[in-house]
């Protein structure tokens, strides 16, 4: 399938996402500042931030993946279930299951709700899909 057709098909299938105003601002700045070093994932994060429904910081987003959320997701290809915390790059620590929003899967997770599925491209250019199973917010 030609790349442009594949990209437009994937873009059409993207689920709606929700991000708070302060997170949208910070994530947009992170994407902009990372373009030179991590162009593919920075562009993906910028696209996700741009297409998100932006809501007030105090909105009730209990089932939505936000920064600092502990979440469980399923890799739809392998069936593996992972529990991670979504964090900013300087807080990432794979040993503690703290994944950066500036990774392909991290950028894919932001703003999703329980039950939603999204496709994203891995660093090796494979398309993967993940489904959100549960979300809990840090106090």
């Amino acid at each position: 399938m030609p790349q442009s057709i594949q990209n437009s098909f994937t873009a059409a299938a993207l689920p709606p996402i929700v991000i708070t105003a302060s997170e949208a601002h910070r994530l947009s700045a992170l994407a902009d500042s990372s373009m030179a070093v991590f162009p593919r994932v920075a562009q993906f994060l910028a696209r996700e931030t741009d297409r998100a429904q932006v809501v007030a910081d105090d909105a009730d987003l209990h089932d939505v993946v936000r920064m600092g959320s502990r979440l469980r997701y399923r890799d739809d290809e392998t069936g593996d279930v992972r529990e991670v915390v979504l964090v900013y790059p300087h807080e990432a620590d794979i040993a503690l299951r703290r994944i950066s929003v500036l990774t392909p899967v991290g950028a894919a997770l932001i703003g999703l709700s329980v039950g939603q599925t999204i496709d994203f491209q891995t660093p090796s250019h494979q398309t993967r899909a993940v489904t959100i199973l549960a979300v809990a917010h840090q106090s």
Side-chain angles (χ1 to χ4, degrees):
M1 180 179 305
Q3 188 70 21
S4 61
I5 293 172
Q6 182 179 0
N7 284 346
S8 61
F9 175 78
T10 301
L14 291 171
I17 59 174
V18 180
I19 300 176
T20 64
S22 62
E23 287 180 356
H25 178 74
R26 188 167 176 192
L27 292 170
S28 181
L30 175 63
D32 288 347
S33 68
S34 302
M35 285 292 178
V37 182
F38 305 109
R40 286 182 58 234
V41 73
Q43 288 171 0
F44 179 46
L45 180 59
R47 184 191 73 195
E48 291 299 277
T49 303
D50 287 346
R51 75 179 189 85
Q53 175 189 355
V54 178
V55 298
D57 288 345
D58 61 354
D60 179 15
L61 299 178
H62 67 278
D63 280 346
V64 176
V65 177
R66 299 181 61 189
M67 296 307 299
S69 295
R70 179 172 301 280
L71 63 125
R72 278 188 308 118
Y73 71 89
R74 179 183 61 239
D75 179 315
D76 292 345
E77 182 176 316
T78 66
D80 291 344
V81 174
R82 295 184 177 93
E83 184 171 320
V84 300
V85 177
L86 186 62
V87 298
Y88 290 100
H90 69 280
E91 301 168 307
D93 185 335
I94 198 66
L96 298 175
R97 297 184 310 212
R98 298 171 63 87
I99 62 168
S100 171
V101 71
L102 201 55
T103 61
V105 70
L109 294 170
I110 191 69
L112 290 175
S113 299
V114 172
Q116 286 185 309
T117 299
I118 191 168
D119 292 340
F120 68 97
Q121 200 171 72
T122 67
S124 61
H125 301 280
Q126 296 177 314
T127 299
R128 298 299 281 267
V130 293
T131 300
I132 304 300
L133 303 175
V135 178
H137 299 283
Q138 310 287 340
S139 314

